[in-house]
């Protein structure tokens, strides 16, 4: 299998620069900041590529690389749209792999909590520097043989913003190069910001298939599933990812940097890096409020972030759909948030012109679709687009199977974790301040998950500590965003289980500590659940655009309107205080708090948190659990 490296530029052969004996086919290595050169030289020596390519993030570069990938067969154009491409992966490489994602520190417990004996810690996997070096030694040396090593300078957050951070990713995947260009800000300007030896996060990625390949490459998607490993070094701010080309495993600016590494930096520097969307809601009076919301993977962030309100007079604008970096302003005390990303890497199935028209409209140009189906007229197709695609349309599924829509209902066009990757600036409701270097002020923080049973539509926490407890007890049904199968209800505190980069007990304490500074204007904390089922397994709540009705209630609470009643589990909406015009809703079923359920749940939560965190579980959380237990016991 040939490498498809971009050809040498017109530069005369003799002037071609080399690093060691490896030619630089684009860019000027000598002009890079000295500390970057030092690190790159080590990576080149380790990975032994046949060429080095320094990306400039330009459209011209993207056009050339795209053409190469089309010729190679990894991408094919979706001719129905402008500059859109479809890609099918090796079916063994379709999602994040939590079981192969590690944090490496000298001290085990700066990465993972002191779990009780017998409790298998699922809040991060730690490996010692000695053990990881053995693993890495069987993977990285020579891993780019026959391939081109690309150098991608990128900023998480607007280039130059005091809230932003810089990374440099080395990769041997052109797909990653194109996707990073959408998801982050790739620019040669980055080098100027590193000119004086400034810190940057070192990100090394390889698909793990040196050439000639030892095994057949499936779907022109090189990967190495047996040896996949995603390794974080929070102390030296470094990521090494091997064997997977997919999403959070390979676009290292996203979960690896912006959550796991940034989370550690945030802890050290006194801010927050969270798995949260950021949006604004303007009510009929013209008052605008910004909120942030954390739901586990594939539980509704992208959909909420750009929802189309079903009640009149409200305007929603999107700032971000997956990650928020937030810090309390020293002067004003406001919690200010930026979206460190530049694109959306969104779940495709379920997205349509009814559920999320803004997402569809965002990805009609300059986008990459991975593991979706393709229609005979060169459009995308996935489950959820049935009503917008004529029956009888021929579809080629993500596995290459051809079938006609409507003929066999068992056929699936797309992998459930199929994704669109599109520039955020194309979103029709992107906020004019989405790149404001100062961030936007957050008035409410929402947590939520897929809870088929027992959990009401919305709960407001009683206070900050109770809110941090609500977030700590977050649970959700597992989804296809990671390697879990079936619909098990899993704990996912703060929607950060897979993404926390240090001891989870310290993480919860970090949240609690924000209360200690009287200058901090603490946002109210809420918990929502769009996914409660009735006895026929039907959703009790219509969700999507109708979620504005809950946001409206939340904002009224932010404005201290008297629309809530105290309950044992938190504040619940007074009957009639959520606008349900035009809906047929069973309020009792949607808002009830069954005593049996909550009694069992709080016991289970305590057992689980105590097992996972042991003595690292903050005392304040233990106290909140006890108080909630006492309150629940008084339920009728
Ligand atoms: P990640 O990108 O993995 O972090 O996911 P996400 O949290 O952004 O989830 P997303 O908005 O992409 O939604 C995932 C799935 O949940 C999609 O199939 C949606 O159609 C579905 N979904 C989103 N919001 C709702 C809702 O309000 N109700 C229901 N029933 N389903 C929803
Ligand atoms: C998630 O799983 O939460 C995602 C997709 O947003 S990935 O980029 O693969 O992490
Ligand atoms: Mn996510």
């Amino acid at each position: 299998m040939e490498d498809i490296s971009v050809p040498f530029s017109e530069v005369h052969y003799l002037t071609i620069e080399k690093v060691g004996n490896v030619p630089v086919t684009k860019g000027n290595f000598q002009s890079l900041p000295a500390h970057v050169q030092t690190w790159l030289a080590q990576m080149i020596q380790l990975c032994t590529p046949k060429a080095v390519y320094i990306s400039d993030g330009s459209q011209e570069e993207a056009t050339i690389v795209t053409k190469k990938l089309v010729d190679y067969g990894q991408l094919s154009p979706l001719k129905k749209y402008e500059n859109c491409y479809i890609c099918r992966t090796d079916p063994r490489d379709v999602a994040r792999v939590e079981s192969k994602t590690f944090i490496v520190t000298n001290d085990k417990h700066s990465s993972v909590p002191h779990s009780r004996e017998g409790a298998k810690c699922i809040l991060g996997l730690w490996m010692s520097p000695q053990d990881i070096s053995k693993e890495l030694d069987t993977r990285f040396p020579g891993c780019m043989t026959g391939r081109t090593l690309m150098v991608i300078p990128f900023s998480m957050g607007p280039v130059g913003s005091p809230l932003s951070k810089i990374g440099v990713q080395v990769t041997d995947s052109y797909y990653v190069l194109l996707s990073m260009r959408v998801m982050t800000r790739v620019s040669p300007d980055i080098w100027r910001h590193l000119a004086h030896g400034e810190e940057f996060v070192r990100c090394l990625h390889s698909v793990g298939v040196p050439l000639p390949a030892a095994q057949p490459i499936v779907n022109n998607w090189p990967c190495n599933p047996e040896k996949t490993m995603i390794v974080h070094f929070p102390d030296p701010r470094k990521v090494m990812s091997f064997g997977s080309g997919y999403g959070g495993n390979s676009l290292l600016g996203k979960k690896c940097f912006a959550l796991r590494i940034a989370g550690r930096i945030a802890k050290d520097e006194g801010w927050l890096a969270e798995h949260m969307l950021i949006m604004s809601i303007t009510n009929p009076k013209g008052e605008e409020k910004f909120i942030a919301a954390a739901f586990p993977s594939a539980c509704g962030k992208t959909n909420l972030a750009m929802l189309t309100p079903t009640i009149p007079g409200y305007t929603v604008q999107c700032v971000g759909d997956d990650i928020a970096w937030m810090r309390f302003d020293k002067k004003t005390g406001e919690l200010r948030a930026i979206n460190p990303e530049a694109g959306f890497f969104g779940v495709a199935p379920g997205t349509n012109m009814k559920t999320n028209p803004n997402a569809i409209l965002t990805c009609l140009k300059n986008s990459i679709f991975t593991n979706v189906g393709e229609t005979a007229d060169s459009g995308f197709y996935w489950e959820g687009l049935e009503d917008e695609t004529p029956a009888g349309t021929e579809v080629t599924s993500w596995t290459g199977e051809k079938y006609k829509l409507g003929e066999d209902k068992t056929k699936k066009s797309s992998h459930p974790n199929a994704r669109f990757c599109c520039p955020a600036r194309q979103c029709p409701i992107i906020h004019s301040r989405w790149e404001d270097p100062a961030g936007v002020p957050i008035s409410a923080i929402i947590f939520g998950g897929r809870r088929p049973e027992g959990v009401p539509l919305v709960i407001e926490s009683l206070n900050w500590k109770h809110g941090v407890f609500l977030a700590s007890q977050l649970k959700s049904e597992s989804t296809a965003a990671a390697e879990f199968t079936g619909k098990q209800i899993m704990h996912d505190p703060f929607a950060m289980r897979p993404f926390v980069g240090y001891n989870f007990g310290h993480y919860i304490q970090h949240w609690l500590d924000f209360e200690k500074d009287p200058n901090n204007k603490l946002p109210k904390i809420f918990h929502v659940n769009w996914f409660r089922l009735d006895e026929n397994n039907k959703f009790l709540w219509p969700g999507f655009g109708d979620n504005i009705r809950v946001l409206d209630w939340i904002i009224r609470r932010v404005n201290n309107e008297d629309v809530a009643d105290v309950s044992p589990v938190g504040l619940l909406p007074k009957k009639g205080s959520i606008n349900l015009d035009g809906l047929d809703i069973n309020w009792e079923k949607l808002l009830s708090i069954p005593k049996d359920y909550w009694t069992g749940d709080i016991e289970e939560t305590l057992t689980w948190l105590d097992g996972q965190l042991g003595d690292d579980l903050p005392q304040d959380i233990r106290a909140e659990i006890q108080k909630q237990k006492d309150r629940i016991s008084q339920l009728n």
Side-chain angles (χ1 to χ4, degrees), residues 275 277 293-297 299-301 304 446-449 474 495 528 530:
H275 192 201
L277 66 90
F295 310 149
S297 301
C299 291
K301 288 182 299 303
L304 191 66
I446 305 175
F447 292 93
L474 199 75
V528 299
W530 317 140

Side-chain angles (χ1 to χ4, degrees), residues 130-199:
Q130 293 75 24
D131 288 347
I132 208 73
S133 11
K134 281 183 225 144
E135 296 292 339
L136 298 177
D137 284 351
T138 68
R139 289 172 171 79
F140 282 98
C143 66
M144 296 186 189
T145 301
R147 295 188 183 277
T148 298
L149 177 152
M150 284 160 276
V151 180
I152 308 172
F154 65 97
S155 176
M156 298 310 290
V159 181
S161 155
L163 298 181
S164 300
K165 299 271 173 207
I166 286 174
V168 178
Q169 178 158 344
V170 160
T171 181
D172 52 9
S173 161
Y174 290 90
Y175 169 90
V176 166
L177 178 97
L178 292 178
S179 306
M180 283 291 286
R181 183 171 174 270
V182 175
M183 296 305 298
T184 73
R185 289 146 177 109
V186 178
S187 158
D189 284 353
I190 301 296
W191 303 128
R192 271 196 302 116
H193 291 273
L194 297 179
H196 303 289
E198 289 87 346
E199 255 199 22

Side-chain angles (χ1 to χ4, degrees), residues 308-349:
T308 305
T310 55
I311 48 176
Y314 291 81
T315 307
V316 159
Q317 292 171 85
C318 175
V319 177
D321 82 324
D322 199 52
I323 299 178
W325 286 357
M326 308 192 286
R327 70 173 85 201
F328 286 97
D329 188 282
K330 285 271 176 300
K331 283 203 207 92
T332 66
E334 280 171 327
L335 181 62
R336 304 205 70 101
I338 63 163
N339 168 14
E341 300 192 280
F344 306 135
F345 186 68
V347 177

Side-chain angles (χ1 to χ4, degrees), residues 133 139 255 298 355 438 448 586:
S133 11
R139 289 172 171 79
K255 300 303 160 78
T355 56
N586 187 327

